[in-house]
């Protein structure tokens, strides 16, 4: 027998599929709920991984270059001494501002403990000392209330995310560290990037207070006619600089998220594989039962002239519809998570990083593909069984 | 007796569906066990900590150091048995992706405060007598295939420069939950080099570990230590080892919380799969139940039939799931970046929780079908047509 597909598509008893949903509300409802839960968990895990990555990669800018000590694992373990910092700051590849000063900030990064609001005890906060041109280089930052700290004073501005999570963090309050009181004078917004989880102050004040001499990292705006590869070659070839490493700022912060993202992804993939098998089995059980319960009906349909292929497609479509209803509910529930932000210890910087669940198009595509596969595999075998029934046996 | 036989026969009447349900449940139990294991591994440090140990660190943050001179002042406080000290060395071994703790220690007191790290007396003596000797946990030694006498080359970051250590011992943990991944070397070796290269960083301690005689006195002793250095340039924060570890876990609390919620959602999913099977099964047997009722079987009997069947299915599923948990957990650990979890074991509580939730699910899943079976009138049941 040769089937004409278009002809068969016309012959699918769609109205019959719809009636079946209504006839078995409870089982169909349970299957849909199950698939919705699976898709929800799947999407939530992916959203978490994407959220961390988005937060950190938006922290850096493609126009900036970070210099760190080669062997350092993060900003806090990087050390750049003053002589090297001076040497780097005179390089011609650095863009100048309107007054001719290099667009460069020498940062000193450290960690302090602060009590969290939710009674979660103490947590690590990154404190970043910056130079005067810092806001020109990192132009995502705006002061949303209060004012910028004064260079030369022991003042702080704090990221929005910290203000929400830590107690005692508000404009006018003081934080005691390094044997001195630091006054909070402003709150900054950094377009949801990692800087929103930091405290900023004057780098030279921070270095003095902690009795240090060296900076942690240097960040500068690279001039239009230079590129990162040239810089890398230059550093590698210079005896005074070959202990240090230039990196695109965006890439640098992205790398810091790698460990955490990898962990969540591996966990996510493992759980998803396990789950999808479970959900397919759930769909299969429902569909097999649907076929078994409707033996007589299938026989009748066949006797009425519906082809085997039409029956197969009808059951497959039923399974896919069930899966997609569940899938959309799952994605819908997961999209609510976007409005929540959570925080974690970022192992790259060893301080707390706040991030939101990100519903990216990748997540939606992934979840829908996953739903489709579940519906198809779950429905295929039962549909084959239905289509292979002989009219006589079925009607008996 | 015959009732049990009937339940067992009934359970496997619809072989394909029952097998699918069992596979579904075992997979869910597996996922639940895996997630719980991740959660418990995260707080393994807390579980392995001893109530007899205090950790004293710089009050502002553990990345700042304390003077070496604090050691004798702390030791003079009554109730203290032993004072040991450590510096976090970090550095790069091979490349930046090789995580394991690299710590400078005082070899004399290390084994007194951490009796769970076991080293033969021969290796111990060699480790103590050689200035640049180090010891490795057996897990790390296996991972890099390092033998006694090998050289460990490490590129310093916090302590810049090239560093070389000779492996003089490989320690084993006393129990599975103790960390067997760390590397320890002489604090003196580090300090001498700091004295010549960075004199302002000499005689600095990362954290003190203090063994106390009576665990009940931990709060008072912590307080006394902190009071001792109040208003100095380097104020201290002392707490029990458990609280110290908890601090790290708490920072990632949100992610752990999310994983925890997921693990309970999975129980929900098992419930849905089993509910579905039981409802379908009972629906198909509506006529049979009516016949049974006519023959004089009571509601109690019907309850036993349905709940018994659900429990058999859920228990078999749980057993299969739990028995495949060990290989899956091992597989998961092998794809994770090495050193992420120093300790990655399936806790007994995980088995208990997974098993008991499967039982609970079996009972809940039979509620709807039992309700329906009891409330169908015999006449309607006999008339029922698939």
């Amino acid at each position: 027998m040769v089937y004409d597909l278009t002809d068969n598509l016309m012959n699918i008893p769609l109205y019959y599929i719809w009636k079946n949903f209504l006839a078995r509300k409870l089982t169909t409802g349970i299957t849909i709920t199950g698939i919705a839960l699976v898709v929800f968990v799947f999407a939530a895990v992916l959203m978490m991984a994407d959220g961390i990555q988005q937060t950190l990669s938006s922290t850096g800018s493609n126009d900036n270059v970070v210099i760190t000590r080669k062997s350092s694992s993060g900003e806090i373990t990087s050390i750049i001494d003053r002589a090297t910092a001076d040497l780097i700051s005179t390089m011609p590849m650095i863009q100048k501002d309107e007054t001719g000063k290099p667009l460069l900030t020498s940062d000193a990064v450290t960690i302090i403990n602060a009590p969290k609001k939710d009674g979660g005890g103490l947590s690590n906060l990154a404190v970043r000392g910056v130079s005067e041109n810092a806001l020109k280089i990192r132009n995502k930052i705006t002061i949303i209330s209060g004012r910028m700290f004064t260079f030369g004073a022991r003042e702080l501005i704090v990221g929005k995310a910290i203000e929400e999570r830590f107690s005692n963090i508000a404009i006018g309050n003081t934080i005691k560290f390094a044997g001195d009181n630091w006054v909070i004078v402003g709150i900054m917004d950094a377009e949801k990037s990692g800087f929103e989880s930091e405290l900023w102050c004057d780098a030279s004040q921070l270095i003095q207070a902690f009795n240090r001499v060296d900076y942690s990292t240097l960040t500068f705006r690279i001039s239009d006619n230079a590129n990162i590869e040239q810089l890398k070659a230059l550093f590698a070839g210079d005896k005074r600089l070959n202990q240090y490493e230039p990196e695109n700022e965006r890439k640098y912060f992205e790398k810091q998220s790698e460990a955490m993202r990898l962990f969540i992804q591996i966990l996510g993939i493992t759980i998803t594989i396990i789950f999808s098998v479970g959900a397919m089995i759930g769909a299969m059980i429902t569909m097999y039962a649907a076929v078994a319960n409707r033996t007589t009906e299938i026989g009748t349909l066949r006797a009425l002239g519906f082809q085997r292929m039409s029956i197969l497609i009808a059951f497959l479509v039923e399974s896919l519809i069930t899966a997609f209803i569940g899938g959309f509910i799952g994605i819908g529930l997961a999209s609510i998570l976007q409005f929540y932000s959570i925080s974690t210890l970022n192992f790259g910087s060893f301080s707390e990083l706040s991030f939101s669940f990100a519903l990216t198009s990748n997540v939606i595509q992934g979840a829908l593909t996953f739903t489709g596969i579940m519906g198809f595999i779950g429905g295929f075998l039962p549909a084959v069984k239905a289509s292979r029934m002989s009219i006589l046996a079925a009607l008996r | 007796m015959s009732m049990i036989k009937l339940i067992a026969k009934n359970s496997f009447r619809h072989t394909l569906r029952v097998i699918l349900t069992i596979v579904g449940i075992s997979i869910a139990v597996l996922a639940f066990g895996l997630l719980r294991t991740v959660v418990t591994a995260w707080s393994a440090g807390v579980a392995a900590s001893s109530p007899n140990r205090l950790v004293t660190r710089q009050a502002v943050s553990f990345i700042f150091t304390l003077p070496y001179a604090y050691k004798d002042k702390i030791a003079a406080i009554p109730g203290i048995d032993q004072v040991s000290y450590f510096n976090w060395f970090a550095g790069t071994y091979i490349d930046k992706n090789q995580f394991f703790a690299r710590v400078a220690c005082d070899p004399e007191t290390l084994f007194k405060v951490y009796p769970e790290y076991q080293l033969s007396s021969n290796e111990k003596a060699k480790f103590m007598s050689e200035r640049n000797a180090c010891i490795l946990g057996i897990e790390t030694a296996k991972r890099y295939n390092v033998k006694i006498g090998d050289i460990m080359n490490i590129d310093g970051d916090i302590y810049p420069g090239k560093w070389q250590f000779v492996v003089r011992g490989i320690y084993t943990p006393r129990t599975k939950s103790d960390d067997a991944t760390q590397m320890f070397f002489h604090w003196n070796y580090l300090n001498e080099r700091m004295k010549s290269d960075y004199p302002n960083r000499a005689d600095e301690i990362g954290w003190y570990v203090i063994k106390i005689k009576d665990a009940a006195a931990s709060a008072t002793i912590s307080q006394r230590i902190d009071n001792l250095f109040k208003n100095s340039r380097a104020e201290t924060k002392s707490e029990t080892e458990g609280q110290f570890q908890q601090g790290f876990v708490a920072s990632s609390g949100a992610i752990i919380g999310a994983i925890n919620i997921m693990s309970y959602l999975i129980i929900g999913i098992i419930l849905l799969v089993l509910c579905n099977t039981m409802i379908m099964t009972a629906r198909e047997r509506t006529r049979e139940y009516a016949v049974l009722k006519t023959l004089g079987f009571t509601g109690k009997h019907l309850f036993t039939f349905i709940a018994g069947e659900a429990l058999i299915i859920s228990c078999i599923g749980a057993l299969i799931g739990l028995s495949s948990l060990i290989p899956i957990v091992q597989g998961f650990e092998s794809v994770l970046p090495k050193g992420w979890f120093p300790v990655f074991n399936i806790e007994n509580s995980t088995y208990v929780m997974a098993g008991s939730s499967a039982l609970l699910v079996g009972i809940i899943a039979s509620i709807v079908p039992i309700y329906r079976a009891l409330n169908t009138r015999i006449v309607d049941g006999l008339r029922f047509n698939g």
Side-chain angles (χ1 to χ4, degrees), chain B residues 367-381:
Chain B
I367 292 177
V368 175
I370 288 171
Y371 177 81
R372 280 192 176 171
L374 293 184
N375 286 289
T376 310
R377 287 191 308 152
I378 295 180
V379 189
D380 292 337

Side-chain angles (χ1 to χ4, degrees), chain B residues 64-254:
Chain B
F64 299 110
T65 51
L66 294 168
Y68 176 69
Y70 282 12
K71 182 183 145 224
D72 294 335
K73 289 185 189 164
I74 294 172
I77 295 172
I80 287 180
D81 193 17
Q82 216 37 265
V83 179
S84 192
Y85 46 92
F86 300 87
N87 277 33
W88 185 255
F89 181 76
T92 307
Y93 176 63
I94 305 175
D95 61 55
K96 284 186 188 177
N97 297 320
Q98 314 301 325
F99 310 103
F100 60 91
R102 296 176 270 264
V103 180
C105 74
D106 170 34
E108 294 292 330
T109 49
L110 172 69
F111 300 101
K112 289 178 186 152
V113 294
Y114 288 106
E116 58 263 50
Y117 301 149
Q118 296 175 325
L119 193 64
S120 74
S121 49
N122 181 24
E123 288 176 18
K124 210 182 271 182
K126 280 194 176 141
F127 170 51
M128 289 194 187
S129 61
E130 213 169 323
R131 210 172 55 99
N132 65 339
C134 73
I135 55 169
L136 293 178
I138 184 151
E139 297 286 329
T140 301
K142 270 194 223 156
R143 186 172 141 202
Y144 297 103
N145 198 17
V146 174
K147 306 263 177 314
I148 290 181
D150 287 358
I151 305 278
M152 302 279 289
N153 284 306
I154 294 175
D155 225 348
D157 51 358
I158 304 175
Y159 300 98
K162 306 262 181 223
W163 298 77
Q164 273 197 343
F165 304 97
V166 192
V167 181
R168 285 298 176 217
I170 288 165
Y171 77 84
T172 49
R174 193 169 51 194
T175 65
K176 268 206 297 187
S177 47
D178 296 320
D179 185 351
T181 64
Q182 307 179 74
M183 166 183 169
F184 293 106
F185 62 90
H186 290 224
W187 179 83
N188 278 332
Y189 181 51
L190 178 75
N191 200 45
E192 280 162 25
R193 193 137 149 205
M194 284 298 110
K195 271 182 186 161
S196 66
D197 295 0
Y198 298 87
N200 65 330
R201 295 182 61 192
D203 293 330
E204 294 281 323
I205 298 295
W207 68 95
Y208 288 97
V209 175
I210 296 146
K211 193 176 163 204
I212 54 176
K213 286 172 186 147
D214 175 15
S218 62
T220 7
I221 295 181
S222 301
Q223 198 60 53
R224 286 192 68 169
I225 298 174
D226 292 348
N227 286 343
L228 206 55
F229 306 111
K230 204 147 200 106
N231 296 321
S232 70
R233 175 108 207 132
E235 292 190 4
T236 59
K237 174 158 176 60
S238 307
E239 53 199 341
T240 61
E241 193 184 18
Q243 289 164 335
F244 176 72
Q245 297 278 5
Q246 187 65 50
F248 286 97
V249 179
S251 309
S252 307

Side-chain angles (χ1 to χ4, degrees), chain A residues 149-213:
Chain A
F149 64 82
T150 320
F151 284 88
R154 302 227 157 150
E155 292 177 341
L156 295 165
I157 54 171
V158 301
K160 213 168 66 174
I162 296 183
E163 189 207 7
E164 286 157 12
R165 271 174 214 290
F166 286 80
S167 44
N168 303 329
I169 302 240
I171 293 181
N173 286 1
T174 55
I175 304 180
K176 196 183 170 201
F177 58 84
D180 207 345
N181 286 315
W182 300 69
V183 191
I184 301 173
V185 297
I187 310 284
M188 61 175 167
D189 176 295
E191 297 178 5
K192 291 190 165 183
S193 70
F195 292 136
E196 276 185 15
S197 301
E198 295 182 346
L199 301 159
W200 279 27
C201 63
D202 178 354
S204 42
Q205 289 299 315
L206 191 70
I207 288 176
Q208 268 178 34
F210 278 113
N211 243 351
R212 282 167 53 162
V213 277

